[in-house]
Amino acid sequence: MKYSGLRLFTLVLLLWPLAAGAQVMQLPGSELSALVGEPRSPYSFFTYQDGRFEPVPYQWVDWAEEDMPRFTQDEHTTPVGDPSRINERDRLLLRWRSAGDKLDRPVSEQVVGEIRVGEEFNYGYFYVVRNAFQQNRDRAVQFNRDRMRIQTTDYSLDMDEDNLLIWNDFFYRGYRDPEGRQNTILDTMKIRLSAGLLTENQRITLNNENLDPVIEEVIEGPLATLIYATTTVRVARVPVLRTRNYFVVMPEQVDIHTHFRLPGAASTVLRTPKVSMSLAGNDLYGGRLRTSWTGRLEAEVDGSGELSRAAQTMLEEPMGRDNWIWFSTGRGFDVLGNLQFHEGFEGPVHLVYQDDADLEDPPERFPGQLPNVGFSLEDLPFGQDFFFVARLLFSGDSDGLPPHRYAERTLSQPEVRYSRIRQ
């Protein structure tokens, strides 16, 4: 069948919302109203594709009253309901790529519900089956705690054997460096706590190497591995920062839920503290950066140390609460970053961006910042709780979409409709 240019463009446009590859949808239990209160164990999820009705990977994630993942070892969050039953706050994980067609024939399985996701003319379907004989055993994410390695169907990430907040090698399927080699994309992750010690002018900076996170609990499943870790930072023996991190590691995405508090007592030794988190790349010359708050302005990595006007504007303008940062290597790997605030912080947030082949900024494994990209929370008040979520979404080429369209589609919550099926 031949398509005219207009018809082909229309076809591609219609397929965009369901072309999100390996990304995982996190559907709240409230969207599946007829299942709320039911036990989880009898139910599994199927799709209908190419005339075949087959089970797909899925995972239920317990969600706390405080709007973050729930771990049994976490005394700071409030469980909701019976963990063996489906409740409104639970998250159902399903992969976009598993969505299928609308079922148009009888099947032998006991189908009790239909989940429709997407938008008009662009729907994908999942089916809820009770007491299915067939089960999907695929695993898309694995965490080797002994080697401190995360391995998914799309990437691998190695962390320091004693510190999961020190990220080292990161490999992504399909990415090649300028010489055509499969090389690490990441130098390291950089976390900074900067503050004046007794006075504003006498500043100190702590980094990843000063942090000693403790893994409290790990939950493993077919579509996500969840890690709960706690960290306490001390200056002059005074606890100045307590953090709780909740990692949700998925095939092409990492969500980092962070809850932290600067104790009131820390105000006796610290002045105007700020915290930053960024990722330093490994020789990503030619990479392009865009942000939601500076429109179509674009910065390109050249290692010169001289920032373009576009990069300066990105640094100077504060990040909005509805934000994203997009970076493309141009060689088969893009990353979309998003920062969401749930409570407690009203101060300015700014972009962190360094593009300098000669600049030293430890900890690092490779010379220079090529580039270093992230965000900084400034003017943190003492004695107050903060909760934010940093999301990193990986793709080969942003599904071929312009950055703003890719970000809009990827970060939006899919429209969901659940229909009960009586047999």
Side-chain angles (χ1 to χ4, degrees), residues 44-47 53-58 98 109 132-138:
S44 54
F45 298 83
F46 281 58
T47 57
F53 192 62
E54 296 183 325
V56 297
Y58 70 94
S98 297
E109 289 81 2
F133 176 75
Q134 296 183 74
Q135 297 291 329
N136 188 294
R137 306 297 182 187
D138 295 343

Side-chain angles (χ1 to χ4, degrees), residues 16-17 20-21 73 110-111 117 179 194 237 245 256-257 289 298 306 309 332 353 385 418:
W16 273 356
Q73 298 301 313
Q110 185 182 355
V111 180
V117 295
E179 284 70 45
S194 173
R237 298 184 179 180
N245 292 116
I256 308 174
H257 299 249
L289 177 74
E298 185 170 284
E306 298 292 330
R309 177 167 297 188
Y353 180 63
D385 290 334
Y418 180 83

Side-chain angles (χ1 to χ4, degrees), residues 75-127:
E75 300 176 350
H76 299 86
T77 55
T78 308
V80 179
D82 182 346
S84 69
R85 293 181 176 272
I86 300 168
N87 67 69
E88 292 186 347
R89 285 190 173 269
D90 288 341
R91 297 292 190 270
L92 172 63
L93 307 188
L94 293 166
R95 284 183 102 162
W96 268 112
R97 67 165 51 154
S98 297
D101 302 322
K102 188 174 180 63
L103 188 61
D104 60 2
R105 65 175 177 83
V107 294
S108 58
E109 289 81 2
Q110 185 182 355
V111 180
V112 298
E114 176 189 86
I115 302 173
R116 190 185 73 184
V117 295
E119 299 174 356
E120 190 174 4
F121 305 119
N122 304 298
Y123 296 127
Y125 295 86
F126 295 89
Y127 289 90

Side-chain angles (χ1 to χ4, degrees), residues 44 84 86 108 157 166-167 178 183 235 247 258 268 309 324 347 363 372 377 394 399 415:
S44 54
S84 69
I86 300 168
S108 58
L157 171 64
I166 297 179
W167 291 9
N183 203 353
V235 175
F247 297 84
T258 298
T268 61
R309 177 167 297 188
W324 50 260
N372 181 30
L377 310 179
F394 314 125
D399 297 333
E415 184 178 305

